[in-house]
Amino acid sequence: MFRTALRSVLAHKARLLMTVLAVMLGVAFVSGTLVFTDTLGNAFRNQSAKSYKDVSVAVSSHDSRDGGGRDDGGPGGGGPEGEEGGGRTPGISAATLKKIGALDGVSSVIGRVDGFAGVADQDGKLIGSGWSNTGSNFVPAKDGDDPAYTFTEGTGPARDDQVALDRTTADKGGYQVGDTVRVGTNGPVREFTLSGVFTTEDGAVNAGGSLVLFDTAVAQKLYLEPGFFKDATVSAEPGASDAAVLAGVKGLLPDNAEAQTGKQLADDQAADIESGLSGLNQILLAFAAIALFVGVFLISNTFTMLVAQRTRELALLRAVGASRRQVKRSVLTEAAVVGLIASAVGFVVGLGLATGLRSAMGSFGAQLPAGPLVVSPTAVAAAFGVGVLITLLAAWLPARRAAKIPPVAAMSSVHGLATTKSLVVRNSIGGGLALIGSAAIIAGAAGGSDGRTLIGIGAFLAMIGVIVLIPLLSRPVIALVRPLLRRVFGVSGKLAAQNAVRNPRRTGATASALAIGLTLVTGLTVIGVTVGQAVDKMTTDNIRADYMVQMASGGGLDPSAVTALEKAPGVSALSPQQSAGLKVKGKFHPASAVTPGDIEQLFTVTTLSGSLDTLARGEIAVSGKTAKSNHWRTGDTLPVTYDDGKKGSLRIGATFEENEFLDSVLLPTDAVEAHESRPYISQVWVRTDGGASAAHEQALVDALGDNPGISIMDRQDIRNTFGGFINTALNIMYGLLAMALIIAVLGVVNTLAMSVFERQQEIGMLRAIGLDRAKVKRMIRLEAVVISVFGAVVGVVLGSFLGWAIGQTIKNDIPGYALVVPWERIGIFLLLAGVVGVLAALWPARSAARLNMLTAIKTE
């Protein structure tokens, strides 16, 4: 029986090839994902370990000057740096680092500061990706080199007018040592002389950003304060204990700093890398699971048709003594062989996919750390386990049916006919699952954000139920288009419609693969388009400003940028959006410090009570929702605690309707000026005379000194910023789901090829009575289109239903949410389904048209 199974596999190479392809694609996705994430994780872990190889203790701090440090303002403050700032410090002082360097067992201490630094290319454009553009300080050791960087040209900056650049940034900008480089931080842009070029494995550079090294004094002035450092690394003398050094370091640190060993830090970073990659891993594996799920229908369909073709052969085996178990085992052995072959090929393709993904990330500017391709036993086991199990699972039902065929009935060609009882049972099960799933989806939609899990369960049940019912649905649905096919395409159309429903189970299995893919694509599209339009409407309805100015890094702007913009020609209204958190009776309330009088010209602010004019008198405005939840009214005076810990009182002068771009509390910038030593300005909103124009935008660019680190966006750019990510996410999802659709196309090809094989005699008779080759081809193509579009219609209906349900769970979180059915895209999906049918039918149609009439008629 084993030899029989192997011969059967070799006897149907062409048809089983498509089954191999289906399994191979899914396995490739699984193995490629596991190998890619293992390789990436290993490379980052090695890089992290290398970065902290010579670090015994790493020290980090946060700026505690604005309420993040000690609560007491007295000298000493309970820590060794209490004398600095009355107990509040901007970092780690040089004096503290000097004390650390004097500890027993410490060989050296290096202090670092860092922040945003954007480098302009020769055209004045920002090099890098904004958020990963960083600046730091060059710290030469006794030999004049900084151990963290390897210089390939020149040296590190030795004066306040010099900088060094990483190799990639220098190459992108076309800079050589001695050139003038324009560097923008959150303050005015400055020009420096390039002193050297270095290589580094810094994570920011690997992420596609840039790294600028300043002289230490310059970096401290830019990012912190003179004499202070943000981080420090401590190296121990040979033989010294890291734990002992750590204990000594901890005793010297201020309250806003913490220390850990270099090994602990490397391990923590490795854990963070694992956590970050696990999300990507799960997403890719989810799409691999979808591809394999779709592949199940193709595999099952293939084995069902192969078993049907071999019915007499299997009956003869039964007649000469083979048991049902042996017949079943024979079919499953075929499946196991196919699964092993597909898994092996898929694993090799997965290795190529992992390599390709790594290269693709590099082409997008992400310089991943070097490292070998990591092929773990888990990836190998998963690839072969998944491939073989999926194939065996899909072949189990056809194998069971083959074993149940009576020898005499099979040899008489009376086999494979579905009994009334089996159809009733199948349709009853399908109908029950579809109803339960639909009820769960509706219940989940009514449950808000807590109902998403229920929707997921309901979606799975409903999808399974619809798949079971598809053979039943195919007859009435296809019957609706039969008159149209007959009128437009004549005999070919009539025969195509009849052939499409001749074997409902096979048609249903083929259409199911397309239905699953289109369900997911349509559901994602409905949600994406709906959310996108809601976000777009929210942006246009709430913003009246012509421009939004912010740092390319997403960090805070320097107050000097506000002053510069105020002087720009054509500016009619301007307001910073300055963060100013307030505590009222111990409860934190996010607040925005804005410019009184201008804020109404920059945003749509609907007043519920009072007047926003009171902002000019030092009063505040509160959103209606916040006022209601706290039982505040216009005219109330609130006791507040500012960020610096000082107390005061503010009077409510107005309440307003919520605006998604403003915090719940508005107050004039003057009210918080005395309490913010380093104000955080996230954006500056600008309105110009006559609206946005190229001249006005250039005036703003010039006012800011053509700073490459500052982004100036008009209304369309603002809309793209807040809503563009949705289209990007959709395109990524479409790309990942393409694999499932490719498998579905293979299913259509397989079904048509088998159908042509089964109908050779019939096609020969049609040719004999006058149906020419062109009409035969048209008949096969139309049959493919009917099956494809039928599956697409089922998927579009189910996908739209799921899109509506999921939308109900997020509508409360998105103001202005209203369901949008993207008819244009749905039309494109249906059109593409038809194209898929035409392309899938090319080979089967050609084979049918080339059949020899006499040979076909004699075929049994």
Side-chain angles (χ1 to χ4, degrees):
M1 294 303 293
F2 180 73
R3 288 196 299 269
T4 302
L6 291 180
R7 287 178 185 147
S8 178
V9 170
L10 297 175
H12 301 90
K13 300 183 189 71
R15 296 181 184 90
L16 287 173
L17 175 63
M18 283 177 276
T19 301
V20 170
L21 285 173
V23 179
M24 180 202 74
L25 288 172
V27 169
F29 218 152
V30 171
S31 59
T33 295
L34 293 175
V35 170
F36 174 67
T37 52
D38 286 345
T39 299
L40 215 57
N42 181 68
F44 279 118
R45 282 192 297 271
N46 289 341
Q47 176 184 275
S48 178
K50 183 178 178 181
S51 299
Y52 296 100
K53 178 183 177 183
D54 299 321
V55 175
S56 297
V57 175
V59 182
S60 59
S61 70
H62 62 269
D63 191 338
S64 66
R65 292 168 299 173
D66 297 321
R70 305 176 184 86
D71 290 329
D72 67 319
E81 287 195 15
E83 73 278 8
E84 296 166 352
R88 287 191 168 87
T89 62
I92 309 164
S93 71
T96 298
L97 292 190
K98 187 175 180 180
K99 293 177 184 178
I100 293 174
L103 290 172
D104 291 338
V106 173
S107 64
S108 65
V109 182
I110 296 177
R112 301 284 184 190
V113 288
D114 60 66
F116 171 76
V119 180
D121 61 17
Q122 304 292 348
D123 297 324
K125 303 298 183 183
L126 180 68
I127 298 174
S129 53
W131 62 269
S132 57
N133 292 336
T134 57
S136 187
N137 59 313
F138 175 74
V139 185
K142 293 179 181 179
D143 58 2
D145 294 330
D146 189 324
Y149 311 103
T150 302
F151 278 82
T152 57
E153 297 178 28
T155 61
R159 303 193 310 267
D160 60 2
D161 63 345
Q162 292 182 331
V163 293
L165 295 177
D166 68 271
R167 175 84 270 169
T168 303
T169 302
D171 290 343
K172 287 180 179 179
Y175 291 119
Q176 303 291 331
V177 173
D179 288 349
T180 298
V181 180
R182 298 179 69 251
V183 180
T185 57
N186 65 340
V189 68
R190 289 181 56 183
E191 292 186 347
F192 296 86
T193 300
L194 184 62
S195 66
V197 177
F198 58 89
T199 58
T200 178
E201 291 188 359
D202 184 273
V205 177
N206 287 334
S210 61
L211 179 60
V212 183
L213 293 182
F214 301 95
D215 177 69
T216 295
V218 174
Q220 288 176 330
K221 186 176 179 181
L222 285 172
Y223 302 126
L224 220 53
E225 278 188 9
F228 285 89
F229 297 90
K230 181 180 178 183
D231 305 303
T233 55
V234 181
S235 298
E237 294 176 345
S241 167
D242 288 352
V245 172
L246 177 63
V249 169
K250 284 185 174 180
L252 297 173
L253 294 180
D255 290 349
N256 67 320
E258 57 184 15
Q260 58 186 142
T261 63
K263 185 179 184 306
Q264 287 175 329
L265 188 57
D267 291 343
D268 288 346
Q269 287 194 356
D272 291 340
I273 291 167
E274 293 285 349
S275 177
L277 290 176
S278 66
L280 173 64
N281 200 23
Q282 290 171 5
I283 292 172
L284 293 176
L285 287 176
F287 283 96
I290 292 168
L292 289 168
F293 185 55
V294 172
V296 166
F297 295 95
L298 171 57
I299 299 165
S300 180
N301 224 8
T302 300
F303 276 96
T304 297
M305 291 183 283
L306 288 176
V307 167
Q309 290 179 9
R310 294 170 50 215
T311 301
R312 290 195 176 188
E313 173 192 330
L314 296 175
L316 182 60
L317 289 173
R318 291 289 311 282
V320 297
S323 66
R324 287 187 175 184
R325 181 175 297 178
Q326 286 178 311
V327 171
K328 183 177 179 180
R329 191 182 302 154
S330 171
V331 177
L332 291 177
T333 301
E334 290 181 46
V337 171
V338 171
L340 281 171
I341 295 172
S343 297
V345 177
F347 183 73
V348 174
V349 174
L351 296 180
L353 180 63
T355 305
L357 282 172
R358 189 170 179 175
S359 300
M361 290 185 71
S363 66
F364 284 111
Q367 300 177 17
L368 302 179
L373 203 66
V374 177
V375 182
S376 66
T378 301
V380 177
F384 283 87
V386 167
V388 175
L389 286 175
I390 287 294
T391 310
L392 288 173
L393 177 65
W396 180 79
L397 192 58
R400 184 171 175 271
R401 287 175 184 162
K404 291 176 67 176
I405 297 173
V408 175
M411 297 178 74
S412 303
S413 298
V414 183
H415 62 275
L417 298 176
T419 64
T420 303
K421 179 181 177 181
S422 69
L423 292 175
V424 170
V425 171
R426 176 192 179 104
N427 295 333
S428 299
I429 293 173
L433 288 174
L435 285 174
I436 294 171
S438 299
I441 292 171
I442 293 172
S449 59
D450 296 330
R452 291 169 193 163
T453 301
L454 189 57
I455 289 177
I457 296 171
F460 179 76
L461 293 176
M463 192 175 294
I464 297 297
V466 169
I467 288 169
V468 174
L469 285 173
I470 275 184
L472 176 66
L473 297 173
S474 63
R475 288 186 180 277
V477 172
I478 295 176
L480 294 175
V481 298
R482 186 183 299 171
L484 177 63
L485 291 173
R486 186 171 58 247
R487 282 197 298 269
V488 177
F489 300 102
V491 174
S492 296
K494 179 180 179 180
L495 292 172
Q498 290 176 342
N499 291 332
V501 294
R502 174 178 294 184
N503 191 330
R505 283 185 171 176
R506 188 168 62 206
T507 297
T510 305
S512 294
L514 278 169
I516 294 168
L518 265 297
T519 295
L520 298 171
V521 168
T522 304
L524 288 171
T525 302
V526 169
I527 296 169
V529 171
T530 301
V531 172
Q533 290 201 16
V535 171
D536 187 67
K537 185 176 184 298
M538 178 178 67
T539 304
T540 55
D541 287 353
N542 288 301
I543 296 175
R544 300 175 64 187
D546 296 316
Y547 296 100
M548 179 179 74
V549 180
Q550 66 178 13
M551 293 299 299
S553 63
L557 284 159
D558 190 83
S560 62
V562 180
T563 305
L565 289 170
E566 288 174 339
K567 298 176 182 178
V571 173
S572 60
L574 177 146
S575 176
Q577 190 161 357
Q578 179 178 327
S579 297
L582 302 174
K583 284 185 178 179
V584 181
K585 296 181 180 180
K587 183 179 179 181
F588 177 81
H589 293 277
S592 294
V594 298
T595 303
D598 286 2
I599 191 66
E600 301 97 316
Q601 301 179 54
L602 301 169
F603 294 95
T604 302
V605 185
T606 303
T607 305
L608 298 175
S609 64
S611 171
L612 291 178
D613 293 340
T614 57
L615 290 173
R617 301 200 297 265
E619 298 181 1
I620 64 173
V622 181
S623 71
K625 185 182 294 184
T626 300
K628 183 178 180 180
S629 63
N630 290 278
H631 307 290
W632 296 340
R633 290 188 176 85
T634 301
D636 288 352
T637 299
L638 306 178
V640 299
T641 303
Y642 295 97
D643 277 344
D644 61 357
K646 294 183 179 178
K647 301 182 183 299
S649 60
L650 292 171
R651 186 175 184 272
I652 299 177
T655 60
F656 62 92
E657 284 187 2
E658 281 70 26
N659 184 304
E660 296 303 314
F661 296 90
L662 294 173
D663 285 320
S664 58
V665 178
L666 302 180
L667 69 165
T669 52
D670 294 344
V672 295
E673 187 174 348
H675 305 283
E676 301 281 352
S677 58
R678 293 172 69 92
Y680 184 84
I681 302 172
S682 56
Q683 292 102 14
V684 178
W685 301 88
V686 181
R687 190 167 185 176
T688 54
D689 295 325
S693 68
H696 284 147
E697 184 170 344
Q698 188 59 49
L700 299 180
V701 170
D702 294 341
L704 294 167
D706 197 11
N707 192 328
I710 297 179
S711 171
I712 300 173
M713 291 182 280
D714 60 20
R715 287 192 186 185
Q716 186 59 49
D717 293 332
I718 296 170
R719 292 165 66 183
N720 293 339
T721 298
F722 288 103
F725 74 93
I726 295 171
N727 287 328
T728 301
L730 277 178
N731 290 334
I732 293 173
M733 296 298 182
Y734 290 159
L736 292 172
L737 286 171
M739 183 174 293
L741 294 176
I742 290 172
I743 295 174
V745 172
L746 293 176
V748 179
V749 176
N750 209 15
T751 295
L752 292 174
M754 302 299 261
S755 178
V756 168
F757 179 84
E758 288 179 357
R759 290 154 45 201
Q760 287 186 62
Q761 189 176 57
E762 174 189 321
I763 293 171
M765 291 294 295
L766 291 172
R767 290 290 315 284
I769 61 176
L771 195 68
D772 58 28
R773 288 185 174 182
K775 290 181 179 178
V776 169
K777 286 183 179 180
R778 188 181 305 150
M779 176 184 70
I780 302 298
R781 284 197 293 265
L782 288 173
E783 182 180 345
V785 170
V786 167
I787 293 173
S788 299
V789 174
F790 167 62
V793 169
V794 173
V796 163
V797 173
L798 187 54
S800 299
F801 179 46
L802 289 177
W804 164 82
I806 295 172
Q808 293 297 108
T809 67
I810 62 175
K811 68 177 184 179
N812 293 331
D813 301 323
I814 302 175
Y817 181 94
L819 181 68
V820 177
V821 180
W823 297 111
E824 298 84 359
R825 297 197 189 191
I826 287 176
I828 292 173
F829 295 158
L830 295 177
L831 180 62
L832 288 176
V835 172
V836 162
V838 172
L839 294 176
L842 289 177
W843 174 53
R846 184 170 176 270
S847 299
R850 295 181 64 185
L851 284 175
N852 182 283
M853 283 184 285
L854 295 178
T855 302
I857 291 172
K858 290 189 296 180
T859 300
E860 295 184 6

